[in-house]
């Protein structure tokens, strides 16, 4: 029932946007009964702080934005941050309907990918076991205190290493550790116990052609592939790089993203930060993003074709790949790759792509609003 009402409200608003006020009021009610209003106010405050802090707006303009955020949360399923990143307010109704929100991707990924197989990607240690030949580095899984002796042996071989929560995402919980910062190996192990279960990894020594932008962070390429019946294609890709004192390249941790041409491996856009603000050159190294050639792109494509074949029931996968002095290495993989960054970079909605992937996976071609 709620879906039908949402579609009706969307049609009403798109025909007559002067109905914003009353539709916003109705939206609040439906967001409450569908339990999607719980964090909306906090998300709205945070998003407005991020995206409007440098703008001088009247009370009337701010009021309109708040109403649109509430209404669009229901009728287009965009969260407050997506409302700003996709510039939803200024787009035509036809353009808005081409964008796919993070909430909507869950429904499409259920059509595209075998969710029973996603544990391989949700658990970093399982990913390592399946794709171990492409890690090219020392990795240890620590599920409990019983692995203390193996941990102590690991830190003998690796005086600096990275610790990652097994189920972590977006760089949350990642810690770069230097053994010399602790009085004894036992003290170091005690420090890590709060993060159990975790994996520890030898630090990737990245190639200078990737490190040159920002040597402090491991800079990667996010490549999203779609495979069906043995054929693998790249559906989108972008370069990720950190800045300042950050050790990670995630945009949520202050990094930048720039679109990469899937055919050539060349960066074809300026970079953006988590707010969608553009930069032409990296602020630390002053290297220009647009036009930069990612090294050994053909080798990366060949590698991903082999990796994709290992889990044929998961058709769409996001691969985070680092180019080291040993060649391409898998950092991690994701069976539900986020689509926010690429839609912001291209200024285009990717809903038609998701519908096509769902159709090719022999799912119902009928349009479904998730």
């Amino acid at each position: 029932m709620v879906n039908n009402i949402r579609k009706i409200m969307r049609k009403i608003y798109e025909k007559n946007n002067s109905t914003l006020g009353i539709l916003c009021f109705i939206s609040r009610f439906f967001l409450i009964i569908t339990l999607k209003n719980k964090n909306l106010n906090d998300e709205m405050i945070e998003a407005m702080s991020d995206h409007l802090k440098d703008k001088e707006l009247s009370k009337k303009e701010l009021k309109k934005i708040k109403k649109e955020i509430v209404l669009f949360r229901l009728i287009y399923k965009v969260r407050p941050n997506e409302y700003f990143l996709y510039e939803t307010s200024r787009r035509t109704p036809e353009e808005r309907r081409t964008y796919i929100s993070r909430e909507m991707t869950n429904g499409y990924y259920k059509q595209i990918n075998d969710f029973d197989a996603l544990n391989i990607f949700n658990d970093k240690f399982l990913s390592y076991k399946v794709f171990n030949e492409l890690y090219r580095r020392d990795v240890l899984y620590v599920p409990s205190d019983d692995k203390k002796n193996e941990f102590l042996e690991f830190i003998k071989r690796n005086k600096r290493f990275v610790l990652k929560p097994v189920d972590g995402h977006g760089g949350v919980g990642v810690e770069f550790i230097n053994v010399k910062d602790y009085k004894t190996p036992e003290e170091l192990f005690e420090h890590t116990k709060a993060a159990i279960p975790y994996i520890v990894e030898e630090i990737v020594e990245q190639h200078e052609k990737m490190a040159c932008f920002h040597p402090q962070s491991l800079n990667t390429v996010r490549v999203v592939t779609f495979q069906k019946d043995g054929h693998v294609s790249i559906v989108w890709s972008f370069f990720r790089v950190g800045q300042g004192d950050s050790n990670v390249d995630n945009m949520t941790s202050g990094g930048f993203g720039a679109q990469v041409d899937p055919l050539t491996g060349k960066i074809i856009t300026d970079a953006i930060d988590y707010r969608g603000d553009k930069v032409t050159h990296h602020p630390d190294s002053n290297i220009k993003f647009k036009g930069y050639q990612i090294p050994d792109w053909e080798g990366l494509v060949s590698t991903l074709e082999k990796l994709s074949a290992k889990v044929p029931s998961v058709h769409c996968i996001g691969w985070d790949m680092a180019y080291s002095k040993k060649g391409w290495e898998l950092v991690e993989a994701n069976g539900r790759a986020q689509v926010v960054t690429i839609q912001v970079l291209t200024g285009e909605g990717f809903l038609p792509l998701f519908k096509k992937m769902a159709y090719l996976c022999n799912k119902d071609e009928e349009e479904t609003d998730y």
Side-chain angles (χ1 to χ4, degrees):
M1 180 185 75
V2 174
N3 266 345
N4 290 333
I5 293 174
R6 178 170 63 83
K7 291 178 183 178
I8 292 171
M9 290 175 61
R10 187 172 68 192
K11 289 180 180 179
I12 292 173
Y13 177 74
E14 289 176 353
K15 288 182 178 180
N16 183 5
N17 58 22
S18 66
T19 57
L20 174 62
I22 184 64
L23 292 180
C24 171
F25 178 80
I26 298 171
S27 295
R28 279 283 189 187
F29 170 75
F30 281 104
L31 289 171
I32 290 172
I33 66 174
T34 56
L35 304 179
K36 293 178 180 177
N37 191 61
K38 186 177 180 181
N39 300 315
L40 182 58
N41 287 335
D42 290 340
E43 290 178 7
M44 185 188 303
I45 292 170
E46 182 178 359
M48 292 180 71
S49 175
D50 285 339
H51 295 276
L52 300 179
K53 65 179 181 180
D54 299 327
K55 298 180 180 180
E56 294 184 5
L57 299 173
S58 66
K59 289 183 178 180
K60 183 178 180 180
E61 289 172 320
L62 288 172
K63 190 174 181 180
K64 180 188 176 186
I65 288 171
K66 289 178 181 180
K67 288 180 179 179
E68 284 185 341
I69 288 175
V70 173
L71 176 60
F72 291 2
R73 179 69 186 93
L74 181 71
I75 67 174
Y76 298 116
K77 293 200 171 185
V78 292
R79 293 187 177 277
N81 191 47
E82 292 174 304
Y83 165 87
F84 289 106
L85 287 173
Y86 300 155
E87 300 181 309
T88 316
S89 181
R90 74 168 185 83
R91 298 195 178 277
T92 66
E94 292 76 19
E95 289 173 333
R96 292 171 192 155
R97 292 196 297 272
T98 67
Y99 278 77
I100 181 168
S101 68
R102 296 196 72 159
E103 178 182 332
M104 292 168 67
T105 60
N106 291 330
Y108 278 96
Y109 276 129
K110 286 179 180 177
Q111 288 195 56
I112 296 165
N113 290 337
D114 175 8
F115 263 45
D116 291 336
L118 288 188
N119 280 341
I120 294 171
F121 304 98
N122 296 334
D123 186 314
K124 286 184 171 58
F125 182 62
L126 285 178
S127 293
Y128 170 71
K129 290 202 294 185
V130 174
F131 306 112
N132 61 81
E133 76 272 18
L134 257 300
Y135 274 74
R136 304 185 194 274
R137 57 192 181 275
D138 197 0
V139 177
L140 175 69
Y141 175 47
V142 183
S144 68
D145 292 2
D146 295 340
K147 284 284 187 177
K148 179 179 178 180
N149 289 337
E150 287 92 333
F151 178 87
L152 297 180
E153 289 298 318
F154 176 88
I155 63 175
K156 286 181 182 178
R157 301 189 301 270
N158 300 280
K159 299 305 180 184
R160 294 178 63 248
F161 61 92
V162 59
L163 180 151
K164 299 178 180 179
V166 169
D167 58 354
H169 296 284
V172 176
V174 172
E175 186 176 359
F176 290 81
I177 296 176
N178 194 327
V179 175
K180 71 178 184 180
D181 292 336
Y182 297 83
K183 294 179 181 178
T184 65
E186 287 74 15
E187 180 188 52
L188 173 52
F189 184 71
E190 287 298 314
H191 167 76
T192 67
K193 283 170 66 173
I196 289 174
Y198 61 78
I199 64 171
V200 285
E201 299 181 1
E202 174 188 1
I203 291 179
V204 175
E205 190 177 358
Q206 63 183 332
H207 195 282
E208 61 182 13
K209 288 186 177 180
M210 294 291 275
C212 60
F213 279 90
H214 185 255
Q216 297 93 321
S217 59
L218 178 60
N219 309 316
T220 63
V221 182
R222 163 68 62 86
V223 184
V224 180
T225 59
F226 177 76
Q227 62 89 11
K228 187 75 173 64
D229 300 328
H231 176 73
V232 180
S233 58
I234 296 176
V235 288
W236 74 82
S237 55
F238 54 91
F239 175 60
R240 308 192 307 176
V241 58
Q243 68 164 322
D245 297 328
S246 178
N247 293 117
V248 295
D249 62 355
N250 304 82
M251 293 172 66
T252 52
S253 301
F256 298 104
Q259 187 185 3
V260 175
D261 184 344
L263 296 177
T264 65
K266 185 173 289 187
I267 297 176
I268 56 175
T269 65
D270 295 332
I272 59 169
D273 63 12
Y274 77 103
R275 297 194 310 174
D277 292 338
K278 293 182 178 180
V279 293
T280 59
H281 295 67
H282 193 284
D284 297 316
S285 61
N286 201 37
I287 296 176
K288 185 178 180 180
F289 286 100
K290 193 172 182 179
Y292 191 85
Q293 178 66 54
I294 302 297
D296 190 24
W297 188 255
E298 289 184 0
L300 175 58
V301 173
S302 176
T303 296
L304 293 180
E305 288 176 351
K306 296 175 183 177
L307 289 177
S308 299
K310 288 181 175 292
V311 194
S313 64
V314 182
H315 300 284
C316 186
I317 303 171
W319 308 94
D320 291 342
M321 304 293 295
Y323 190 59
S324 77
K325 295 184 177 180
K326 301 175 185 178
W328 284 106
E329 295 192 32
L330 174 63
V331 177
E332 63 181 49
N334 193 316
R336 286 178 288 187
Q338 62 91 354
V339 73
V340 176
T341 302
I342 194 62
Q343 290 187 124
V344 178
L345 282 168
T346 60
E348 298 176 358
F350 272 48
L351 180 56
L353 171 64
F354 274 78
K355 288 183 175 181
K356 182 178 180 179
M357 289 192 293
Y359 172 68
L360 292 174
C361 290
N362 298 316
K363 300 298 181 178
D364 191 350
E365 188 181 6
E366 182 181 351
E367 179 177 350
T368 306
D369 269 331
Y370 289 105

